[in-house]
Amino acid sequence: MVTLAQEWHLRGVFKLAQRFLLQELRIDEPCWMDLKLLFISTLLGIICCSSAQQEGNECIKANALSCGECIQVGAKCGWCTDPGEPTSARCDELESLRKRGCAAAKIENPHGSQKILKNKAVTNRKKGAEKLRPEDITQIQPQKLSLNLRSGEPQNIKLKFKRAEDYPIDLYYLMDLSYSMKDDLENVKNLGTSLMKEMSKITSDFRIGFGSFVEKTVMPYISTTPAKLLNPCTGDQNCTSPFSYKNVLKLTSNGEQFNVLVGKQQISGNLDSPEGGFDAIMQVAEHIGWRNVTRLLVFSTDAGFHFAGDGKLGGIVLPNDGKCHLENNMYTMSHYYDYPSIAHLVQKLSENNIQTIFAVTEEFQPVYKELKNLIPKSAVGTLSANSSNVINLIVDAYNSLSSEVILENSKLPEGVTITYQSRCKNGVVNEGENGRKCSNISIGDEVSFNINITAQGCPKQGKPETIKIKPLGFTEEVEIMLNFICECECHKHGIKNSDLCHNGNGTFECGACRCNKGRVGRQCECRKDEVSTEDLDKNCRKDNSTDICSNNGECVCGTCECKKRDNPEERYSGKFCECDNFNCDRSNNKLCGGHGRCECRVCICDANYTGSACDCSLDTSTCLASNKQICNGRGICECGTCRCTDPKFQGPTCEICPTCPGVCTEHKECVQCRAFGTGEKKDTCERDCSYFNLIKVKDRDKLPQPVQAFPLMHCKERDANDCWFYYTYAVNNTEKEVHVVETLECPAGPDIIPIVAGVVTGIVLIGLALLLIWKLLMIIHDRREFAKFEKEKMNAKWDTGENPIYKSAVTTVINPKYEGK
């Protein structure tokens, strides 16, 4: 991984490199992009390699002064007890110690171990078989183990879980008795025998209890007027006095007793909508006679809940203490302690292995579903308006809760980690956080968990610790004793006040001296009161910002003793071990290019070589062109290689000019014969034209474009058939490349049919156009003539006198006798 500092350093290097390459060497942008990618990959490789070396050397970096310190660094570290080794070189990776010649018998490398102390098999019991006591039923195996943990070395344990058939159940029904639950109480009064009958299908050992709650008995939760304290309900309703929590019936196997006692209960009342159910749950968790069996708490309400902090409204500020405060089965401290917090409630339910079923009305489903997500091994069911479905709700919720097993562990000691992997039904394997659980487990199903426990270092006290792992909602648990390997075996055989430690000033153990108080040095030869440790360390630092002995040695009484390397030819040197002869620049994977020696991380080059890696030759013979000029007079010889200053010329001696006039004509015949098998050289093509690499492309757009690094020539030539072909010619380093369009562009002959069709079509269209014009003219002419006729008709004047020749066809006869009567 690249650190932030390395990232900023890379950015600076990129800017400098880009400015130099683009401005000084005039390299174009596309070429810079290619170089940039190469640059990035090279630098990242160097950084990653360096990081890997540092990470892989954690044993040496720890500067362990004793075997105990060494084995706490990691599981890969070992301690060489050979007396001839310097202390700084004793702690190293096991493979490195063996390569240095430390015998296997001299290497301290303790390993962790485990021992099963209690391993009772899980119970295989059928319903109706001989009845067992709850403590005789086993669902998890093994039950007790002891682990010896070596730092960095995981210990794997396998737990087996099997749901026992006919497992005992304790169920406590906690009901809200505020006035809105009046209808529900009537249905719950007969719950005892009905629920006993239904649960007998699951277990033959079932107990049931009942409790009720309303609210804290202070304002503003209830009315404190004397009349309302006696009867908080309005009108002629007869209600009992308000109370916080009342244990009506402890757990019992007598369903009839449940019906009788619950039948005597009366509804009460309060002022606000949220209820004080959390106070009741806290008391139920502590004191209602639970057995070490499956514990179910059914919480029935049609309202929300108060939680920690709400008590301030009634002047109650003391946090809930989580203890039992029942007198005569009544909670007496509701006016003194605040409501419990959700976290406190979760802790108490988990400690007592209680699985909670929230039976609430549809209106408050979202609220209690959010609460369910915070409380492990809990469920939410929809309660009908009058609680008529409560039995089915309880059975369904129990089946849902019991079909899932979730492991949890107690608080881990400092430096200890734990991981889970579950192997569930149908071969399903879960890891990570899901590795703690298995779902859809039926009665009789067996699942297993692989658990890795790892310690990093030793606890400060170094004393054994105990952790517990248990399935949520179950009373059984696995006890694991953790013993930490903080010292090597050779520590037990140490010789106190040994003469090997400067006249008895230390204990000689594991091949080295562990100095007495007040003494320092490899052989405890220095006294702290003579010179302080800070002064000794200061003498071993080059400056205040560097490590002691540059982290490459050990400070012994103010003098650096440099570490030894696996390779005897490699060594650290210098007053502060700041020098070495193996960390110089390399070229062709050779230190100093094979042309020099490494002294204090700087290459001292041989004659005729220069550069940080001695990879730049001063010999110019490799730059001579055929005309005996250096780089053909068109470049500069740098490190035995020509850098052409004329962009037209290239090649190892700047003699190749791919864009000079005549290039296309020169290579035309060879390109033609190799690409198309035609031309004058088609018979001698293989002999005369194999000096370049031919690459065919589909069309002219696919031909490469000129770049400054590798100039190329675009060519267009015509063959004997008047067909054109296109190609490019370029010299890429020493390779000559020709890209040619694979198809010829030939002039096409006339197509007769389209021409004849076009002529005929033209004639027809012209004829139709003429007919249309003639028709249009005729229409215009006719309209003009008709208009003229209409005009003359309007102007005509006709004679209106009678025609003398005209005789009427009507004859009139008059009766002379008619008098008009």
Side-chain angles (χ1 to χ4, degrees):
M1 182 178 291
V2 180
T3 64
L4 186 61
Q6 290 170 335
E7 180 184 346
W8 280 104
H9 183 66
L10 283 176
R11 289 181 180 178
V13 173
F14 282 145
K15 288 181 179 179
L16 291 174
Q18 186 176 16
R19 185 184 305 167
F20 177 75
L21 292 172
L22 295 180
Q23 296 179 8
E24 300 296 330
L25 298 185
R26 300 186 182 279
I27 289 180
D28 59 1
E29 194 69 28
C31 184
W32 158 244
M33 294 305 295
D34 293 337
L35 290 173
K36 183 178 179 181
L37 290 174
L38 179 62
F39 195 45
I40 291 172
S41 60
T42 304
L43 282 176
L44 287 179
I46 293 171
I47 291 171
C48 293
C49 181
S50 175
S51 299
Q53 288 177 348
Q54 291 176 0
E55 291 174 3
N57 232 355
E58 62 178 358
C59 306
I60 295 176
K61 285 181 66 178
N63 288 322
L65 299 178
S66 66
C67 187
E69 291 180 13
C70 179
I71 62 172
Q72 292 178 43
V73 176
K76 294 181 180 179
C77 300
W79 177 270
C80 182
T81 60
D82 191 340
E85 287 283 333
T87 304
S88 60
R90 292 181 184 277
C91 186
D92 204 344
E93 293 184 357
L94 300 173
E95 190 62 28
S96 298
L97 291 175
R98 295 189 190 100
K99 285 182 180 179
R100 286 216 307 264
C102 188
K106 295 285 187 179
I107 297 176
E108 282 286 330
N109 179 35
H111 291 287
S113 61
Q114 58 180 268
K115 183 179 181 181
I116 298 176
L117 304 178
K118 186 178 180 182
N119 193 26
K120 185 179 178 182
V122 293
T123 303
N124 292 308
R125 172 178 176 239
K126 300 294 182 182
K127 190 175 179 181
E130 180 184 357
K131 191 171 182 178
L132 297 175
R133 295 180 304 169
E135 54 269 25
D136 294 332
I137 300 174
T138 304
Q139 297 184 106
I140 192 166
Q141 178 187 1
Q143 294 81 38
K144 190 173 183 179
L145 303 94
S146 175
L147 301 183
N148 293 319
L149 296 179
R150 158 83 188 271
S151 178
E153 183 182 66
Q155 286 295 313
N156 178 268
I157 59 176
K158 184 175 181 180
L159 299 185
K160 184 165 60 176
F161 181 87
K162 182 177 182 180
R163 273 191 65 190
E165 191 169 352
D166 197 23
Y167 195 71
I169 299 174
D170 283 355
L171 185 146
Y172 192 82
Y173 196 93
L174 183 60
M175 186 175 180
D176 175 8
L177 284 189
S178 59
Y179 187 76
S180 58
M181 295 288 285
K182 181 179 180 181
D183 295 340
D184 303 76
L185 180 60
E186 295 301 319
N187 285 310
V188 174
K189 287 179 179 179
N190 297 319
L191 178 67
T193 52
S194 302
L195 188 58
M196 293 284 288
K197 181 179 179 181
E198 191 66 31
M199 294 300 288
S200 65
K201 300 175 183 178
I202 299 174
T203 177
S204 59
D205 189 356
F206 177 71
R207 297 198 311 168
I208 189 171
F210 184 85
S212 57
F213 65 91
V214 181
E215 187 54 276
K216 287 186 180 296
T217 54
V218 295
M219 280 289 287
Y221 312 109
I222 66 168
S223 175
T224 56
T225 60
K228 289 295 183 181
L229 286 175
L230 293 175
N231 185 2
C233 300
T234 58
D236 58 352
Q237 298 290 335
N238 186 22
C239 298
T240 189
S241 299
F243 57 91
S244 176
Y245 162 68
K246 176 167 55 177
N247 178 32
V248 177
L249 176 65
K250 286 191 176 183
L251 293 165
T252 178
S253 57
N254 189 340
E256 292 293 341
Q257 186 183 5
F258 181 95
N259 292 348
V260 171
L261 289 177
V262 174
K264 297 177 181 179
Q265 300 306 303
Q266 287 182 297
I267 291 295
S268 185
N270 61 320
L271 295 179
D272 63 341
S273 177
E275 315 295 2
F278 279 12
D279 273 344
I281 292 177
M282 191 63 75
Q283 297 303 305
V284 169
E286 286 293 326
H287 187 73
I288 51 105
W290 297 107
R291 296 179 296 171
N292 284 331
V293 297
T294 299
R295 300 173 177 180
L296 300 179
L297 171 61
V298 180
F299 184 87
S300 175
T301 184
D302 64 349
F305 49 82
H306 284 296
F307 54 90
D310 290 353
K312 291 181 181 179
L313 295 172
I316 302 172
V317 294
L318 283 179
N320 194 290
D321 65 351
K323 296 179 180 178
C324 179
H325 297 287
L326 293 182
E327 292 183 11
N328 297 322
N329 289 321
M330 297 287 288
Y331 179 41
T332 59
M333 301 297 285
S334 67
H335 63 287
Y336 190 75
Y337 289 115
D338 192 7
Y339 302 98
S341 66
I342 294 176
H344 195 181
L345 205 66
V346 170
Q347 177 190 358
K348 191 61 66 174
L349 291 172
S350 178
E351 284 178 359
N352 292 278
N353 303 304
I354 297 173
Q355 304 177 61
T356 311
I357 301 172
F358 295 105
V360 297
T361 54
E362 184 71 33
E363 179 185 357
F364 289 93
Q365 282 284 307
V367 175
Y368 282 91
K369 283 183 178 178
E370 290 296 326
L371 182 62
K372 166 191 170 294
N373 294 333
L374 301 174
I375 301 178
K377 293 291 279 185
S378 62
V380 177
T382 303
L383 192 67
S384 61
N386 58 2
S387 297
S388 59
N389 68 331
V390 68
I391 293 179
N392 291 333
L393 187 153
I394 292 172
V395 173
D396 292 342
Y398 168 74
N399 290 331
S400 173
L401 290 172
S402 61
S403 66
E404 183 177 57
V405 57
I406 304 174
L407 296 186
E408 72 163 1
N409 52 267
S410 59
K411 184 179 179 181
L412 298 173
E414 182 181 359
V416 176
T417 58
I418 186 168
T419 59
Y420 293 84
Q421 182 193 63
S422 60
R423 297 184 177 273
C424 309
K425 282 180 65 176
N426 303 321
V428 176
V429 178
N430 297 317
E431 295 182 346
E433 198 59 31
N434 290 329
R436 293 175 174 267
K437 63 184 179 181
C438 280
S439 303
N440 301 320
I441 304 174
S442 304
I443 292 175
D445 287 343
E446 184 175 295
V447 295
S448 63
F449 295 86
N450 287 323
I451 303 173
N452 282 327
I453 300 178
T454 310
Q456 294 296 337
C458 256
K460 293 180 180 178
Q461 294 80 12
K463 297 179 180 179
E465 301 275 358
T466 299
I467 63 171
K468 294 181 180 180
I469 298 176
K470 68 175 183 178
L472 285 175
F474 295 87
T475 56
E476 299 174 66
E477 61 186 16
V478 179
E479 184 180 341
I480 303 174
M481 296 176 61
L482 304 180
N483 302 295
F484 301 93
I485 302 175
C486 299
E487 289 289 351
C488 301
E489 188 66 25
C490 58
H491 171 72
K492 300 176 182 178
H493 308 294
I495 303 173
K496 292 186 177 182
N497 303 320
S498 172
D499 292 336
L500 297 174
C501 299
H502 197 266
N503 300 322
N505 287 316
T507 301
F508 186 78
E509 62 180 45
C510 303
C513 288
R514 179 177 285 187
C515 299
N516 296 336
K517 188 175 181 180
R519 305 292 298 190
V520 293
R522 181 192 290 182
Q523 295 177 341
C524 310
E525 64 269 31
C526 298
R527 292 174 57 183
K528 282 188 178 181
D529 55 2
E530 292 177 351
V531 60
S532 65
T533 303
E534 290 78 8
D535 291 337
L536 293 176
D537 290 346
K538 185 177 180 180
N539 292 334
C540 295
R541 296 179 189 268
K542 192 172 183 179
D543 52 60
N544 289 335
S545 62
T546 57
D547 294 326
I548 296 175
C549 297
S550 305
N551 205 24
N552 296 321
E554 180 184 358
C555 186
V556 179
C557 294
T559 303
C560 285
E561 291 190 5
C562 300
K563 297 177 182 177
K564 293 182 180 179
R565 297 278 298 175
D566 295 339
N567 186 345
E569 295 182 1
E570 297 178 355
R571 62 185 180 277
Y572 293 105
S573 60
K575 180 180 178 181
F576 305 102
C577 302
E578 74 278 14
C579 296
D580 62 60
N581 66 343
F582 53 86
N583 268 328
C584 290
D585 291 343
R586 294 175 179 266
S587 178
N588 295 326
N589 205 26
K590 293 182 180 179
L591 192 66
C592 297
H595 303 298
R597 65 185 186 279
C598 180
E599 291 185 3
C600 201
R601 303 184 180 181
V602 177
C603 284
I604 308 298
C605 299
D606 298 337
N608 289 329
Y609 285 94
T610 186
S612 62
C614 301
D615 53 351
C616 182
S617 173
L618 301 178
D619 185 11
T620 60
S621 61
T622 56
C623 296
L624 290 177
S626 57
N627 58 7
K628 302 302 181 182
Q629 288 185 323
I630 292 177
C631 299
N632 195 29
R634 301 181 185 276
I636 301 171
C637 185
E638 294 180 349
C639 300
T641 303
C642 284
R643 179 172 63 85
C644 302
T645 54
D646 190 335
K648 291 183 179 180
F649 288 83
Q650 55 185 246
T653 55
C654 303
E655 293 182 274
I656 300 173
C657 181
T659 59
C660 292
V663 172
C664 293
T665 305
E666 178 185 352
H667 302 290
K668 169 187 172 182
E669 297 297 335
C670 282
V671 173
Q672 190 177 354
C673 78
R674 287 189 60 183
F676 309 107
T678 60
E680 296 178 2
K681 292 188 177 182
K682 64 179 181 179
D683 296 329
T684 60
C685 190
E686 186 176 347
R687 183 190 67 195
D688 298 338
C689 301
S690 58
Y691 59 87
F692 60 81
N693 295 327
L694 184 71
I695 302 168
K696 292 184 178 182
V697 297
K698 290 186 177 182
D699 51 55
R700 292 168 64 183
D701 294 336
K702 298 293 190 293
L703 289 173
Q705 300 303 313
V707 294
Q708 187 173 349
F710 306 111
L712 57 81
M713 191 73 172
H714 276 267
C715 301
K716 176 184 178 182
E717 297 293 337
R718 185 163 56 186
D719 64 8
N721 297 322
D722 286 337
C723 294
W724 294 96
F725 60 93
Y726 300 87
Y727 67 94
T728 61
Y729 178 81
V731 179
N732 186 349
N733 293 328
T734 58
E735 294 290 333
K736 298 175 182 178
E737 290 184 351
V738 172
H739 289 73
V740 62
V741 179
E742 62 184 7
T743 56
L744 295 167
E745 287 188 7
C746 298
D751 195 346
I752 302 299
I753 295 176
I755 294 174
V756 172
V759 171
V760 172
T761 303
I763 294 172
V764 172
L765 291 175
I766 291 171
L768 289 174
L770 291 172
L771 285 173
L772 289 172
I773 293 171
W774 175 81
K775 180 65 176 175
L776 181 62
L777 292 174
M778 291 302 296
I779 291 172
I780 294 172
H781 178 267
D782 289 346
R783 287 184 177 180
R784 285 178 178 176
E785 290 296 322
F786 181 74
K788 184 178 179 182
F789 168 75
E790 287 290 329
K791 185 176 180 182
E792 290 176 353
K793 181 180 176 182
M794 294 295 295
N795 294 333
K797 295 181 180 180
W798 303 94
D799 188 4
T800 58
E802 292 186 0
N803 189 348
I805 304 174
Y806 173 74
K807 288 184 178 182
S808 176
V810 178
T811 303
T812 304
V813 180
I814 300 173
N815 188 354
K817 295 293 184 177
Y818 177 69
E819 296 180 357
K821 294 182 180 180

